[in-house]
Amino acid sequence: MAGLENQPMDRLMHLARLALVIGALGLMPLTGTTAAAEERLHHDIDLIIEPASGQMSATDRIDVAGHGHLAIKPAPGIAIDTIKVDGEAIAPTSEGGVTWIALPSEEAHQVEIVYGGRLEQADSRAGLSPMITADGVFLPYGIGWLANGGSEDGQATYVLNLDVPSAYKAVATGSLVDEQETEERFRATFEARTPTEPPSVFVGDYLITERTHNDLRLRTYFPSDRQDLATSYLDQVAGYIDRFSQEIGTYPYDGFSVIASPLPVGLGFPGLTYVSSQILHMPFMLTRSLAHEIAHNWWANGVFVDYAEGNWAEGLTTYMADYGLAETENADAAWQMRLGWLRDFAALPDDRDQPITSFRSKGHDADQVVGYNKVAMVFHMLKQELGDDVFSTGLREFWDRQKFKTAGWSDLQASFEAAAGDRELDAFFDPWLNRKGAPALTLDQADLQDHDGGHTLDLAISSDSTDYEMLIPIQIEMADDIREKTVRLVDGQAEATFDLTEKPLSIGVDQRHDLFRRLAADEAPPILRDVTLAADTLTIVAVNGSPSAAEVAAQLAARTLDTGLRLAEADDDAIDSSPLMLIGTTDQLAPVLAAAGAGPIPPALAGRGTARSWVAARSDAPPALVVEADDEAALSALLRPLPHYGRQSFLVFEGRKAIEKGVWPTGQNALTKRFD
């Protein structure tokens, strides 16, 4: 799971919908039928799983209407035994590993598929491969174990009957309607009465802890060594459901479960989240990450994403969950999150930027900068533009209109326009959604004139783009307080005159970073992502001669860099024109720092902890990210934590723990002026 410290949990559903693993062609509704719900499939599935042997067997009875095809591409090791259409055995067509099932007419049909086998274990580190092992079972929908078709988004209703040995517990997406346990077997039935993504299945050696909250069934499925966390998780789940229900509308499912995973993943599904058992105890899991996944039950699992218009759900979820919690904590925490987003964007190379409407899902850190952070900031600016009440009404209007429907940015805009009294919002949405990049602001004039009885402040601001119309926050510092004002930027220009009874100390433009913009000089000190996001970063390794130490250093660099490892030598001519990652042991690194113009180590970091990392500015050259460790063991300890600190300028580690971190300080920036 990438970026655990600074990123919400990645969501399998977005990646799975983009994977070409299973699909359908040409399904038509019944003659005279136009309602989308009547075109959906209904699955009635009996699934038996034997984790110890890796075996599964299934019977899937599918109700479908149409003259076309169903299709299934079984995962490796899974074979189809029989296929019947309306009770008659048929010989399907197979091509390229895909089995096509022809439907003979436009009438309603029942298709029965019997299949099974021993699932061949694939690389499950990405969280996309089905898995049946004695440690656990993970069968995500859409990844080669279930037939699909009937609608473009693959949504269906279903009844799923699970059967596993009694040493295990089985759980799936959907509503739990029955559960039975004998000495030999554990059986559970789940169903979805309204169209949703097909079921995903999870099995493990779990203890179940349950609580009823406002008629909702809340559960944890944890191994025995994580049972002490169950109560805390149930408390947090109940609180987050209450919070988002109040802000958006009634929670759309009948419960929520947290399921421990043997895999290093953190994934969200309708009504549950599947999280690595190894990180359940970490503080960010109970706070931001859990809240993020629960909010997704409204955005993406409650209102489905129209990916043709771009993915709005990750950014809206980030804004309401991650940012909303920071805002609840205090104003400074929210400000620091906004500033972090802008610093991330300042580190993003132009050739890795994209319009919001091009974002589909997160594959790299660069995708998060746009699809999560920028989109969240767009919602923040929209809230400033419309006001809290209208913004809240627009969200609730969107939820009421689009619940269990597929919606895009155009639907969001329509809801906010209706909430604002049919106000036209093209001038806001069009540039933010369809242009990549962001405007840069310049403080052109801040003239203070004294006159009898007071002072007049004339202000002029310009933008390097005429495309964006927005409200610019202004902070006027007085002797005993700060006056908050706004001016509107139109056609790249904003002017205002303020009459003041007292002489101001200073004026600042957007000093609390409420606008998505390119940061001014001295607002964006170098951070790790200035190097890790760059496509042309070169890595120089300087260790104490041990081949294994060199391998660890290269592995650490590959994990930290977002665009792949490119090794170089200290005397390479390209080091003067490329961002650098300089990584090695203390006894070998100093001459490399000197040769690259990146040394020496900052005095405040020297000799501290077992490893140190910092970003060094270089004269007339891109920055260098330095990783200095005492020895091979200290380097190895950084493999897991270091990639998650992209927003920092410097870090000190004691083993795997970051005992100090921070961002280099900044001075007065170009968007402020003092009246001394």
Side-chain angles (χ1 to χ4, degrees), residues 570-593:
D571 57 356
D572 194 318
D573 291 339
I575 68 172
D576 292 333
S577 58
S578 301
L580 300 179
M581 185 168 188
L582 309 176
I583 180 169
T585 50
T586 307
D587 59 347
Q588 299 292 319
L589 200 55
V592 175
L593 297 183

Side-chain angles (χ1 to χ4, degrees), residues 182-227:
T182 67
E183 290 185 3
E184 293 79 25
R185 309 297 293 182
F186 177 90
R187 298 179 178 91
T189 299
F190 294 83
E191 70 175 11
R193 301 181 188 92
T194 57
T196 186
E197 64 184 49
S200 297
V201 177
F202 317 85
V203 179
D205 179 13
Y206 298 132
L207 298 175
I208 300 174
T209 303
E210 179 176 308
R211 176 186 303 175
T212 300
H213 177 72
N214 295 336
D215 296 325
L216 301 176
R217 187 199 305 269
L218 310 183
R219 280 188 167 191
T220 59
Y221 292 78
F222 289 173
S224 58
D225 62 352
R226 287 289 184 261
Q227 273 301 106

Side-chain angles (χ1 to χ4, degrees), residues 268-279:
F269 299 83
L272 63 85
T273 185
Y274 188 54
V275 183
S276 170
S277 180
Q278 299 305 309
I279 62 172

Side-chain angles (χ1 to χ4, degrees), residues 150 264 285 379 424 509 562:
M285 278 303 311
F379 283 111
E424 220 288 324
V509 175
D562 197 48

Side-chain angles (χ1 to χ4, degrees), residues 269-303:
F269 299 83
L272 63 85
T273 185
Y274 188 54
V275 183
S276 170
S277 180
Q278 299 305 309
I279 62 172
L280 283 171
H281 67 286
M282 295 185 176
F284 69 86
M285 278 303 311
L286 272 170
T287 53
R288 281 178 46 199
S289 293
L290 183 60
H292 188 97
E293 292 312 314
I294 290 174
H296 265 309
N297 285 277
W298 283 267
W299 310 133
N301 291 331
V303 179

Side-chain angles (χ1 to χ4, degrees), residues 135-153:
D135 292 331
V137 175
F138 177 39
L139 298 178
Y141 92 92
I143 311 295
W145 74 277
L146 188 67
N148 200 5
S151 64
E152 291 183 1
D153 54 19

Side-chain angles (χ1 to χ4, degrees), residues 323 325-340 511-513:
Y323 179 80
L325 292 178
E327 208 171 29
T328 299
E329 182 181 346
N330 58 61
D332 278 348
W335 172 28
Q336 289 304 315
M337 185 169 287
R338 297 192 301 269
L339 179 57
Q511 293 301 287
R512 300 289 289 184
H513 302 98

Side-chain angles (χ1 to χ4, degrees), residues 15 19 40 54 75 120 182 232 282 376 401 422 478 577-578 601 646:
L15 297 177
R40 308 284 187 184
E120 295 179 9
T182 67
S232 296
M282 295 185 176
R401 285 186 181 185
D422 295 325
M478 311 301 289
S577 58
S578 301
I601 182 173

